[in-house]
Structure formats: structure tokens, C-alpha cells
Amino acid sequence: MREILSPAAQWVREGRAFAIATVVAVSGSAPRPVGASMIVSDAAVFGNVSGGCVEGAVYERCLEAIDSGAVSVDSFGYSDGEGLAAGLTCGGAVEVLVRPVLPGGAAAAQLALLAERDAAGIPTRFRLVTSGALRGTGVVEHGTADASGADAAPHADAIVVEVGARPRLIVVGAVEFAVALARLGQAMGQRVSVVDPREVFANADRFPGAEVVVDWPDRYLAGERLDAATAICVLSHDPRLDVPALRVALGSPADYVGAMGSRRTHDDRLRRLRDAGVGDAELARLRSPIGLDLGGVCADETALSILAEIIADRRGGSGARLSVLAGPVHAAGRRDAQTAPEAAGAVVCAPVAALGPASSRRP
């Protein structure tokens, strides 16, 4: 849902009437997870609820919702490709809830609040009721004082979407590779920080949208609240910065720690880290040389290979070409297929908790 929040909030400020379509159930192989959303006005569309298979039909439903003010739920299953009937060519099925967002209404206020909290990095849950008399009613949770929709039944069938708790990317070394990595990381929705003790390089103008910190990286990392949604990429390529920073990073809960450099640099770095007291178990966590082998050369291509490795680690991907792998496209589906062959079309990992409250995550 995060991808539509900014334009939705803009439409709310402009006083537009629009509708929002949200995937509320998924079975089998489907292009988008539960919580994926699309907003539709009479003049524009943002987001999507499938890989393009059912957007046309959902668009029409949204226009109807704007006119009627009614909430609807539609199911879309497998399409055999005959005619123009909407369906999922991947063989799965989705349910899509469409609700109107009218000027001054509860849904408009909630979307504006969610956009505000997401932009501020405040972990927030949005509970959307999917059945019964309160179908389409939403509640903003996690300590928010939101009166709109507050009477929604807390135990009704619902999906819970989390916003605000964005993954964090900390880049050590304000080098040119860091400029590209910070830009791509932000495009992926990550909260990016760049730290370097050299003020001439740690210039905020080089890293628009990122937090830029002029400090020794080890001191900065030691004072930060690092967690399992934090990736630390050491790009400084200077042992005076690298080794102290990596010593702190490898001893932290950060789920990804990578360092740039040649294999010769890597061997020298390992020796220095061992001399600094870093144990073998911690060293085994280090991704060095950093990134996947994409054959890239320029800074943007290198940044892409680094982010690809972070995703592969977090999602359990192999980094191999999908064309040479068997089974479901998504890594979660492949793992399910290996443990239970009959579940080869299992629901893929989604950034929401369906039919119940989501646990709180701090950025």
C-alpha cells in the first residue's frame, strides 16, 4: 500500500473523489501480495493489484464506487486467455476490495494520516475489515488518535497492512558508489543514512533525500539502534574507516553487512578484523566482496548488484537466473514446494499480516 500513499494524500489535499482497490486475499501463484493497492480517479491511476491481468476490470469497479459510494469485493481467478475476460494468467486467484474515498470522509482522512506517518518513518498498522456489515471500514492503529473508523470490530475478518517501518540502509563512506546506492536504496523505499568523517565528501547536496552524517562510522554505528531490518554497506575502501565500522556492524543485529573491495583487500581486511578481536562466527556474516556477480562496471550497476544481494539474503533467493530454476517463481514458493510438493502454488511472502494484528516493528 505504501506505493500509493503519496499520490493518494495529494488527491485528498486537492479534494478529489477517488477509489482505492486493495488485494485482501491471495491463493496460488499471484503477481501481487495481500495489501497491494491501486487508486483510481476519473483522470488518473496509481499502483496496481496484479501484473496487469485484472487492472481493467478493477478500474471499472473503482469508477462505479466513486459514483455509487458503495464498497465491493470481486474475485479473480485463472483466465484461459479466451476473449477479454479478466483473470490471472499465472493460475492463482485474488480477491480485491474496492472502496470509495470521498472528500472529507473517513477513508480520505486515514490515507492522509497513513501517508504522513509513513513519510515520517513512524511504524503504523492499518486494519481493513473485509467482511460483514463493516466491510471496507478501516482503522489506523499503533497508538494513533484517529477517530474515523474507530468503531470497526477489532476481531472482524481483516487484513493488517504495516507502513512506516521502512528497512534501513546505512552506507559507510561518501564515495561515488555511495551516491548511486543511496539513490537506488531510496527508490526501493529504504531509509538511507550515509556516514563519513570527511565533511568535504559527506555533503548533503550529493545525497538528496538521505540522512548525511559527518562522524567516524564506528562511533556512529555504536550509537545507533540497529536491528534485523538494517543493512550496512561499507564502501569507504579505507582500513582506517572499514575495520572499526565492520567490527561494530558485525557485532550488531543488522541482517546484512557487506564491504567493498578486491579479494586481496578482503583477505587483508579479514586479517585486520581478526586482529581487532572479531570472531569467526561474526566474520562468516560478512558479504565481501560486496554484491552479486552481475558483470556491472559503473556505479549504478554496482549499486544494483549490492541491493540485489541484500534482497536475496532477506528473501531467501539464490541469485540464480529464474530461467534455469524449476518450480514457483518466488523464493518462498520454492521453499514451500521443497518441503511440501503439493503446496507448490503456496501464497508468497507479503509485507502484511493477513486476518490478524501485525507485530510492531521499529525502523
Side-chain angles (χ1 to χ4, degrees):
M1 185 176 284
R2 174 180 291 128
E3 63 197 11
I4 56 89
L5 288 179
S6 180
Q10 180 62 35
W11 288 2
V12 169
R13 289 191 293 270
E14 294 171 355
R16 285 202 208 185
F18 60 99
I20 179 169
T22 302
V23 176
V24 296
V26 172
S27 63
S29 179
R32 300 300 313 277
V34 170
S37 297
M38 177 172 102
I39 55 173
V40 174
S41 74
D42 59 0
V45 175
F46 282 92
N48 67 336
V49 293
S50 78
C53 324
V54 304
E55 265 68 14
V58 173
Y59 173 80
E60 294 297 332
R61 277 295 194 197
C62 287
L63 294 181
E64 292 172 7
I66 296 171
D67 290 337
S68 69
V71 176
S72 64
V73 176
D74 288 284
S75 297
F76 298 93
Y78 177 71
S79 169
D80 62 8
E82 294 181 1
L84 297 176
L88 299 182
T89 58
C90 52
V94 297
E95 288 186 8
V96 179
L97 186 150
V98 174
R99 54 199 172 100
V101 182
L102 304 178
Q110 289 172 340
L111 283 171
L113 179 60
L114 288 171
E116 178 184 342
R117 292 176 70 87
D118 186 61
I122 302 173
T124 305
R125 294 188 298 259
F126 177 66
R127 181 185 296 274
L128 177 63
V129 179
T130 59
S131 65
L134 295 174
R135 184 177 71 181
T137 304
V139 182
V140 177
E141 299 178 336
H142 197 223
T144 60
D146 180 36
S148 59
D151 58 344
H155 302 296
D157 289 342
I159 63 166
V160 177
V161 181
E162 294 185 352
V163 303
R166 291 179 289 165
R168 190 172 184 193
L169 174 63
I170 300 177
V171 184
V172 173
V175 298
E176 197 59 28
F177 290 106
V179 174
L181 184 58
R183 183 174 63 251
L184 291 183
Q186 289 180 84
M188 289 178 54
Q190 301 191 47
R191 187 160 60 96
V192 178
S193 300
V194 180
V195 57
D196 195 303
R198 303 165 296 183
E199 189 171 359
V200 66
F201 294 108
N203 185 330
D205 291 340
R206 299 179 66 212
F207 301 94
E211 175 193 37
V212 179
V213 179
V214 180
D215 198 356
W216 287 95
D218 57 322
R219 181 167 60 192
Y220 170 78
L221 292 173
E224 287 297 291
R225 189 171 177 177
L226 310 176
D227 61 19
T230 302
I232 301 172
C233 300
V234 177
L235 310 184
S236 41
H237 213 280
D238 183 334
R240 295 171 299 175
L241 303 181
D242 295 1
V243 173
L246 286 170
R247 182 179 57 80
V248 176
L250 291 170
S252 78
D255 69 335
Y256 177 92
V257 180
M260 177 172 279
S262 66
R263 299 198 183 280
R264 179 177 178 178
T265 299
H266 169 72
D267 292 340
D268 178 68
R269 184 184 290 133
L270 289 182
R271 178 184 59 78
R272 292 174 182 268
L273 286 168
R274 288 193 177 96
D275 290 345
V278 180
D280 289 342
E282 293 172 324
L283 290 175
R285 300 181 56 214
L286 179 60
R287 298 291 184 257
S288 175
I290 197 170
L292 297 183
D293 177 21
L294 302 184
V297 176
C298 68
D300 284 340
E301 292 170 345
T302 301
L304 179 62
S305 78
I306 295 170
L307 288 169
E309 184 174 51
I310 293 172
I311 294 169
D313 276 11
R314 285 181 173 166
R315 302 297 191 189
S318 66
R321 297 175 188 269
L322 288 171
S323 60
V324 302
L325 298 177
V329 169
H330 298 280
R334 290 197 297 274
R335 289 195 300 272
D336 292 339
Q338 290 169 0
T339 56
E342 69 278 7
V347 177
V348 301
C349 179
V352 298
L355 307 181
S359 61
S360 173
R361 293 199 308 265
R362 295 192 64 84

